[in-house]
Amino acid sequence: MITVKEMQNSLRLDGDIDADLIQRYINTAENYVKNAVDSTVDLSVYRNIDEFNSAVALLTEFYYQTRAEATDTPSKRPYEVTAIIGQLKGMDLGE
């Protein structure tokens, strides 16, 4: 499971800067990856898989770093997230 503190360290943020915002991005990223793979699998199962946590961290970082962009062409999600989702779809996620 990815924590706010881990994301703050990864983003090189001091203290509790943007803790609530980062938590929302973590929640959004978890739901995105879960729903892209198999929404019927419980989130607690996914949180024990390193690949899931890596995708969530990458996506959370992407959301945080692109939050202020206002352009006509939206930023694409990192390719690595798409690749990891493909790997997760091939895994036996039996609960």
Side-chain angles (χ1 to χ4, degrees), residues 39-91:
S39 63
T40 64
V41 175
D42 192 82
L43 193 55
S44 63
V45 172
Y46 284 113
R47 285 178 173 160
N48 289 313
I49 301 171
D50 288 338
E51 291 83 355
F52 174 80
N53 291 318
S54 293
V56 168
L58 286 166
L59 199 50
T60 300
E61 190 169 313
F62 170 78
Y63 289 153
Y64 186 83
Q65 291 176 337
T66 61
R67 70 192 183 282
E69 287 187 10
T71 64
D72 293 334
T73 54
S75 300
K76 293 184 180 179
R77 282 175 201 81
Y79 168 78
E80 295 84 359
V81 172
T82 304
I84 292 171
I85 287 170
Q87 290 177 339
L88 288 167
K89 285 182 177 182
M91 288 182 175

Side-chain angles (χ1 to χ4, degrees), residues 1-60:
M1 179 172 150
I2 298 299
T3 66
V4 170
K5 189 56 79 184
E6 288 172 327
M7 290 310 307
Q8 287 170 323
N9 289 338
S10 177
L11 292 163
R12 293 175 172 57
L13 301 175
D14 292 327
D16 284 331
I17 295 175
D18 290 336
D20 292 337
L21 177 64
I22 291 170
Q23 184 60 63
R24 282 195 304 274
Y25 287 154
I26 291 170
N27 296 344
T28 300
E30 284 184 334
N31 287 323
Y32 178 86
V33 177
K34 176 184 185 251
N35 291 333
V37 176
D38 184 347
S39 63
T40 64
V41 175
D42 192 82
L43 193 55
S44 63
V45 172
Y46 284 113
R47 285 178 173 160
N48 289 313
I49 301 171
D50 288 338
E51 291 83 355
F52 174 80
N53 291 318
S54 293
V56 168
L58 286 166
L59 199 50
T60 300

